Amino acid sequence: MDIRIDYSKVAEKFFVKHEDVRDDFKRDVVKIITGNHPEQVNFKNLKGKLKGYSRIAIDSYRIIYKRIDDKIIIVSVILAGTRGDVYKHIR
C-alpha cells in the first residue's frame, strides 16, 4: 500500500518549524490507514462545515487533513497549528 502525503503551503510552513510533529503525524496516519493500533491515535472525523475532513491531535497541535483516494492513498494536509488557532482559519 502506497501512501502519499501532500501539504498545503500553510501546513508545509508549520512543519518546517515543527519537524517532530510532522514525524508523529506521518506515524499516526499510517496507524489509522493500516488499522495498526489506531486506538493510540488522538483522531477525530470532523462535523459541520468541516465534514469530510479529519484531525489528528499531537500535543497542543492540530493537523486538519482529508483522505482523497483509497487505492493509492493520498492524504492532503490542509492546515496545521496550535489548538486555539487551527479551526479559525478553515473556511
Side-chain angles (χ1 to χ4, degrees):
M1 175 186 313
D2 293 327
I3 299 173
R4 186 178 93 206
I5 301 176
D6 295 328
Y7 301 96
S8 69
K9 288 182 182 182
V10 173
E12 184 63 42
K13 185 176 178 181
F14 171 83
F15 284 129
V16 165
K17 295 178 183 176
H18 301 90
E19 289 184 21
D20 56 328
V21 176
R22 180 193 302 238
D23 295 340
D24 290 345
F25 171 71
K26 288 180 181 178
R27 182 199 64 224
D28 289 350
V29 164
V30 170
K31 284 183 180 180
I32 291 167
I33 291 171
T34 62
N36 186 12
H37 305 292
E39 68 279 355
Q40 297 174 352
V41 178
N42 190 343
F43 159 82
K44 183 177 184 179
N45 289 318
L46 299 176
K47 300 177 184 178
K49 68 179 182 177
L50 298 177
K51 186 176 181 179
Y53 292 91
S54 302
R55 75 102 173 108
I56 290 179
I58 299 171
D59 297 326
S60 63
Y61 302 108
R62 302 296 181 267
I63 297 98
I64 308 294
Y65 70 97
K66 186 172 191 170
R67 186 171 168 172
I68 299 192
D69 188 16
D70 287 332
K71 293 180 183 173
I72 297 175
I73 297 174
I74 301 170
V75 176
S76 179
V77 178
I78 308 303
L79 191 59
T82 60
R83 181 177 156 258
D85 293 334
V86 74
Y87 298 108
K88 294 177 187 176
H89 299 298
I90 293 286
R91 296 176 193 206

